[in-house]
Amino acid sequence: MLSQRSKIAVLAIIAFLGMIAWNVLPARAVHVAEEFERARNIYFNRCAGCHGTLRKGATGPDLTPAKLISKNYNIQILKAFISNGTPGGMPSWKGILSDEEIDEVAEFLQLEPPTPPEISLGDMQESWKLIIPPDQRPKKPEHTKNWQNFFGVVLRDAGKVAILEGESKELVNIVDTGFAVHILRSSASGRYFYSIGRDGKITLIDLWMKKPDKVAEVKTCSEARSVDSSKYKGKKGDFLDKLAVVGCYWPPHFVILDGQTLEPKKVVSTRSYTYDTNEYHPEPRVAAIIASHHEPEWVLNIKETGYFWIVDYSDIINLRITQIEGERFLHDGGWDASKRYIQMAANMRNKMVIVDNEEKKVVAQIETGNKPHPGRGANWIDPKYGPVTATPHLGEGKITAWGSDPKGHPQHAWKIVRNVETLGGGSLFIKTHPKAKHVWVDHALNPDNKIRQSVCTFEKDKPEEKPTCWEVSDHGRVVHMEYNMAGDEVWVAVWDQVGELVIYDDKTLKEKNRITADWLRTPTGHFNVYNTMNDIY
Ligand code: DHE
């Protein structure tokens, strides 16, 4: 048995050489190499999202060996953090990872992080599969279903997307997409769903086919979280359904693709300097992307450097990018109701950053609370303060709403007007709809079983009343809400090995349907076509 120290030394040599040479290493080293590879995979799949592939930190702290040594974090302390989580929002991995895996990850953290390979446009083109070319696709819908009210449901661990009919709640098809699908976005017309997996694979799904299915796919990077489509039609051209963009975590870049075929057209690196200290950052990841409805533009959150990149896609040969200084660790967010203002969370700075996309500048930074996490956020009209937008928080049980109508209600613009108490922290998403009565929030990452299985709602017209909260399920985590097209019912996911979709009447809060089936494996995000194409939230 090798001592801890010598095991680390062997691992360090392997990491340094950057090779896993199975056939030339002695048996013990092969075993250690296997452990290293296992730990590398676990880190990549479970930890890199928050701490970064190079471990320089973002939503989670810096975990480079130098930083751990400076904090005196020895192997025991690391194991305790991984096993138990932290009050700051890190989940407990005990029960999800075995004791042996926790040991291996703790050891892996003491080594310099290996750098994964770069990916060129040529590599992407090699992986590109055009399954059904546009001229062989239906000219009009081949079914009579209301496809604008379809729901695309992410089956995360199955690497699939289920398409359900909004009216009948029947399953229309299950589409094979990619490893750990993260989100779906609709094309501007709504005809297509784009799905993005954590493995950087984007899949194009045609909802007009008799049985909606994938028509193209391509791998754009080894780690991604965001995708959107081109939504502008006006004086500068008609870009509806013409282009798509993927935002990658690793390599840190974004990729512009043909919206109908997914042929990769252009890759742009985001490696650059932090907006505030002007230090070079090797891994500025692309977090949320939102497409403008008023200009041929995408807004990209460049997480680690703290910039908004406004990418003008009207001429991708001579690409123009406006770089706006925001705040470090920009993560998620969306538009205000007028779709002029970009509202994004810099969650590790406890702020929402507001950009006027007409003037192309930051107009406000609002300190809302401990780690705001809005998803796309929620917009509604408050009886006292007019149009408002709100976010829940990862670090505390609170929804914070601010005025978001500087024209009509300048006195409240970008000022906090309400705080609504929820059951606790760990909230990931908030949702409403212009025609809805209620605002909904989850608590998916709360450490308490009962709380993470509960939602809270309050009436838009009675925001001072105590929210109504209840347990949606007695298993899994309850995550993400989405309205139907009419805005009168809400779909909530129970994220579990065999999950559920629970559908409520938004007016009465009564349960209308509960869908559960073997195919409903780990449902997380679910996206209504009409609301997603129109950015209704
Ligand atoms: Fe997400 C949105 C990143 C973990 C489900 N998630 C987003 C966005 C980003 C992001 C940048 C915004 C995309 C956009 O709008 O273009 N998510 C990350 C992470 O880095 C993080 C924290 C850790 C990780 O390792 O990935 C993470 N996300 C999760 C989950 O654990 C969730 C609950 C399930 C899963 O997929 O693993 C999850 N994220 C979602 C969903 C959205 C999302 C459902 C879209 C919300 C919407 O209403 O638009």
Side-chain angles (χ1 to χ4, degrees):
M1 188 70 185
L2 288 179
S3 70
Q4 188 79 343
R5 202 174 269 267
S6 48
K7 207 160 137 191
I8 288 171
V10 178
L11 285 167
I13 292 163
I14 293 164
F16 178 70
L17 293 175
M19 63 175 215
I20 312 279
W22 307 102
N23 50 352
V24 294
L25 292 171
R28 176 59 197 154
V30 169
H31 181 62
V32 173
E34 280 171 356
E35 281 179 18
F36 178 83
E37 189 54 11
R38 228 174 13 238
R40 193 189 67 79
N41 271 327
I42 296 170
Y43 179 84
F44 196 65
N45 293 328
R46 305 278 192 177
C47 322
C50 291
H51 298 278
T53 299
L54 302 181
R55 296 196 219 133
K56 288 186 176 294
T59 304
D62 184 328
L63 294 179
T64 49
K67 196 73 183 180
L68 298 181
I69 290 168
S70 76
K71 288 183 162 176
N72 287 326
Y73 285 172
N74 61 26
I75 187 103
Q76 300 310 333
I77 296 178
L78 291 173
K79 280 188 212 168
F81 278 143
I82 301 169
S83 300
N84 306 325
T86 65
M90 162 144 165
S92 147
W93 293 99
K94 207 173 173 63
I96 300 171
L97 299 177
S98 67
D99 289 349
E100 202 187 352
E101 286 173 325
I102 290 174
D103 288 357
E104 285 170 7
V105 174
E107 285 172 16
F108 175 77
L109 293 180
Q110 298 187 312
L111 305 173
E112 285 302 326
T115 307
E118 302 296 320
I119 295 181
S120 68
L121 200 73
D123 298 330
M124 295 174 213
Q125 277 157 347
E126 268 178 35
S127 74
W128 175 44
K129 284 192 200 132
L130 182 56
I131 301 158
I132 304 181
D135 60 356
Q136 291 169 28
R137 293 181 199 156
K139 303 284 173 272
K140 55 183 178 27
E142 289 178 337
H143 52 74
T144 52
K145 296 183 168 72
N146 180 5
W147 53 273
Q148 288 203 344
N149 197 29
F150 278 176
F151 281 73
V153 180
V154 168
L155 305 177
R156 188 190 185 281
D157 294 1
K160 293 177 200 265
V161 169
I163 313 289
L164 278 88
E165 197 188 9
E167 285 76 13
S168 67
K169 279 79 182 168
E170 271 168 19
L171 179 66
V172 182
N173 198 15
I174 295 182
V175 183
D176 264 317
T177 49
F179 166 76
V181 190
H182 190 224
I183 64 167
L184 300 178
R185 296 290 180 218
S186 292
S187 69
S189 72
R191 171 186 180 163
Y192 295 108
F193 261 139
Y194 298 92
S195 88
I196 186 74
R198 275 188 165 60
D199 59 356
K201 188 158 127 198
I202 168 171
T203 306
L204 182 64
I205 301 169
D206 185 356
L207 300 178
W208 282 10
M209 290 164 74
K210 195 160 187 198
K211 203 167 191 186
D213 212 336
K214 67 177 166 189
V215 291
E217 64 183 25
V218 63
K219 191 165 158 64
T220 53
C221 44
S222 47
E223 228 203 318
R225 295 293 182 280
S226 50
V227 62
D228 214 339
S229 63
S230 51
K231 293 189 173 169
Y232 174 83
K233 184 179 175 185
K235 283 191 191 136
K236 296 178 189 169
D238 175 359
F239 292 94
L240 301 184
D241 292 9
K242 295 280 169 29
L243 297 168
V245 60
V246 172
C248 294
Y249 270 15
W250 189 272
H253 64 209
F254 69 90
V255 183
I256 301 177
L257 310 117
D258 184 297
Q260 303 268 333
T261 65
L262 297 189
E263 182 184 1
K265 294 284 187 194
K266 194 173 192 94
V267 54
V268 181
S269 172
T270 52
R271 287 194 175 98
S272 185
Y273 292 79
T274 51
Y275 91 91
D276 47 357
T277 57
N278 288 289
E279 284 165 287
Y280 177 72
H281 201 294
E283 192 192 357
R285 300 177 293 171
V286 181
I289 301 180
I290 48 173
S292 171
H293 294 250
H294 303 314
E295 292 293 334
E297 289 173 348
W298 294 303
V299 180
L300 273 62
N301 283 355
I302 314 296
K303 193 191 266 270
E304 278 73 11
T305 50
Y307 278 95
F308 296 96
W309 281 16
I310 317 281
V311 178
D312 178 339
Y313 54 71
S314 61
D315 177 3
I316 65 166
I317 308 285
N318 304 293
L319 197 69
R320 274 171 300 169
I321 303 177
T322 307
Q323 301 189 13
I324 299 175
E325 291 187 9
E327 182 52 284
R328 298 276 282 270
F329 311 117
L330 293 169
H331 189 72
D332 56 350
W335 295 109
D336 73 304
S338 75
K339 300 189 174 67
R340 170 172 173 171
Y341 296 96
I342 301 154
Q343 308 180 94
M344 294 290 176
N347 53 19
M348 289 311 282
R349 294 285 188 267
N350 301 329
K351 282 180 186 169
M352 292 297 304
V353 185
I354 318 293
V355 174
D356 178 348
N357 197 37
E358 237 173 75
E359 302 273 333
K360 302 273 182 286
K361 62 176 192 203
V362 170
V363 288
Q365 300 211 6
I366 312 169
E367 284 212 31
T368 61
N370 192 345
K371 298 198 188 86
H373 194 286
R376 284 301 205 212
N379 296 304
W380 72 89
I381 299 178
D382 182 277
K384 193 161 162 200
Y385 302 107
V388 296
T389 306
T391 183
H393 296 83
L394 277 171
E396 59 183 310
K398 182 178 80 170
I399 295 171
T400 299
W402 57 89
S404 54
D405 176 25
K407 246 199 192 139
H409 299 78
Q411 70 279 31
H412 304 308
W414 322 130
K415 294 192 186 108
I416 294 175
V417 293
R418 288 194 192 278
N419 285 309
V420 177
E421 203 181 318
T422 64
L423 293 177
S427 291
L428 287 178
F429 302 112
I430 185 167
K431 198 63 62 100
T432 191
H433 185 287
K435 296 199 179 127
K437 184 173 171 188
H438 288 96
V439 179
W440 295 62
V441 69
D442 67 18
H443 311 80
L445 295 188
N446 194 285
D448 182 281
N449 268 341
K450 281 195 179 348
I451 297 180
R452 67 169 169 246
Q453 289 159 359
S454 299
V455 290
C456 288
T457 62
F458 65 89
E459 282 188 41
K460 290 178 190 172
D461 288 341
K462 297 179 188 159
E464 268 131 22
E465 285 185 8
K466 202 168 178 289
T468 308
C469 305
W470 69 96
E471 275 172 60
V472 171
S473 150
D474 58 4
H475 63 101
R477 289 170 193 269
V478 167
V479 67
H480 202 237
M481 293 74 49
E482 175 66 305
Y483 277 85
N484 63 347
M485 186 176 170
D488 58 12
E489 66 183 32
V490 180
W491 295 39
V492 184
V494 180
W495 176 10
D496 205 348
Q497 280 312 307
V498 176
E500 295 180 68
L501 284 168
V502 189
I503 300 160
Y504 292 97
D505 183 306
D506 176 71
K507 262 206 181 76
T508 61
L509 303 182
K510 288 217 170 88
E511 186 179 316
K512 288 176 81 174
N513 301 76
R514 187 170 284 256
I515 306 171
T516 184
D518 283 345
W519 57 262
L520 201 48
R521 192 168 156 219
T522 55
T524 48
H526 38 292
F527 302 84
N528 175 272
V529 171
Y530 183 81
N531 296 338
T532 311
M533 72 196 235
N534 291 307
D535 283 277
I536 292 176
Y537 31 80

